[in-house]
Amino acid sequence: MTVSSGLQKYFDAQQKKKSAQDMKKRFADLEWKVDPAFMQSFVNFHDKIMDIVDENPDSAEIALEEVNELTKEVERTHRVHELKKAQAIIESSEEA
């Protein structure tokens, strides 16, 4: 069943808004996991992605896929870092 072009534009706009909101939430969720030494790079990356999406709303879906991949990698790296930190604490306590 087809819908009017006005209704289709509305649905398309809602989906783009949702993608942008999802992306902003992903960035917010990632921010606390980013090493402070890399925070400025993260902020610059965030700003560039959001500028691209603002200028070209059709790119939101592709940008969200990239942010999802970044999320996976940051979470993996964060887990590895936490495991190494725990290992160092255990080794330190065993030496004492």
Side-chain angles (χ1 to χ4, degrees), residues 19 22-23 26-27 30 42 45-46 48-50 52-53 59-75:
S19 292
D22 288 346
M23 198 172 337
R26 289 280 187 175
F27 275 122
L30 277 176
F42 177 78
F45 174 75
H46 168 270
K48 286 179 185 177
I49 292 293
M50 296 312 295
I52 290 168
V53 171
S59 68
E61 188 174 325
I62 294 169
L64 186 56
E65 287 177 23
E66 292 298 318
V67 172
N68 288 337
E69 288 300 314
L70 175 64
T71 300
K72 290 177 191 174
E73 184 60 25
V74 168
E75 288 174 351

Side-chain angles (χ1 to χ4, degrees), residues 5 11 47 62-63 77 93-96:
S5 63
F11 286 127
D47 292 347
I62 294 169
T77 303
S93 67
E94 288 174 349
E95 291 175 2

Side-chain angles (χ1 to χ4, degrees), residues 4-18:
S4 70
S5 63
L7 188 57
Q8 185 63 50
K9 286 180 184 177
Y10 171 79
F11 286 127
D12 290 346
Q14 293 303 314
Q15 183 61 34
K16 289 174 187 167
K17 285 180 188 175
K18 184 177 183 303

